[in-house]
Amino acid sequence: MINTNIYNYINVLDKAADAANRREEILTNNIANNDTPNYKRKDVSFERYLEQALLSDRPLDERIAEVNTHLSDFGGLVYTDSSTLDYRLDGNNVDIDTENAMLAENQIRYNTLIEQIGQEFSRYKTVLS
């Protein structure tokens, strides 16, 4: 994390990319445990927390600066999804098609975040040139 106000957006994007990376690990673990009896799928909750933190009537720059001061609180909570739900007789609730779709969605999200970080640095480079 870069500690200056100019990088507030980059810090938030970086934390979101970290959460997307963590989600990829969790989703691939779910896929790997598709045949494990009584395994319950897991996921990462990050976007909901960030969205709640950004809800305000204040200007976006102020909201991002506020989130940036508490960025360490946004680590991405890993949780067990539908722990009482079983899709199969063996007690496993992993649906491989759903996991693959979520993995593809997450990869697009991660790539977009990385691209946005690059664009932010490109803007700074243009300003400094």
Side-chain angles (χ1 to χ4, degrees):
M1 182 167 76
I2 303 170
N3 292 322
T4 179
N5 289 341
I6 193 170
Y7 295 111
N8 284 346
Y9 286 96
I10 291 174
N11 290 337
V12 171
L13 290 169
D14 180 55
K15 197 64 159 180
D18 288 346
N21 187 45
R22 179 74 174 124
R23 177 174 281 134
E24 181 174 350
E25 293 171 5
I26 297 296
L27 291 172
T28 56
N29 188 54
N30 289 344
I31 292 169
N33 283 289
N34 182 48
D35 293 325
T36 304
N38 297 314
Y39 180 82
K40 303 298 180 194
R41 77 171 303 277
K42 295 174 180 45
D43 201 353
V44 176
S45 180
F46 174 78
E47 293 86 0
R48 184 178 70 221
Y49 294 116
L50 182 60
E51 182 181 339
Q52 289 173 350
L54 291 174
L55 288 176
S56 173
D57 293 334
R58 296 180 306 161
L60 182 60
D61 287 341
E62 290 179 19
R63 290 180 277 166
I64 291 291
E66 176 68 23
V67 166
N68 197 55
T69 60
H70 303 290
L71 209 51
S72 61
D73 298 338
F74 294 94
L77 173 68
V78 177
Y79 65 94
T80 302
D81 188 30
S82 303
S83 61
T84 59
L85 179 65
D86 298 332
Y87 290 133
R88 303 186 316 234
L89 294 176
D90 67 356
N92 188 309
N93 70 349
V94 174
D95 178 25
I96 194 73
D97 293 331
T98 301
E99 297 300 318
N100 283 324
M102 291 180 75
L103 185 61
E105 175 188 354
N106 189 66
Q107 289 170 341
I108 292 168
R109 179 181 294 116
Y110 179 79
N111 290 337
T112 302
L113 289 165
I114 297 303
E115 184 177 324
Q116 288 295 320
I117 291 170
Q119 288 178 6
E120 284 293 318
F121 277 117
S122 179
R123 286 185 198 106
Y124 296 146
K125 182 179 175 184
T126 300
V127 168
L128 294 173
S129 298

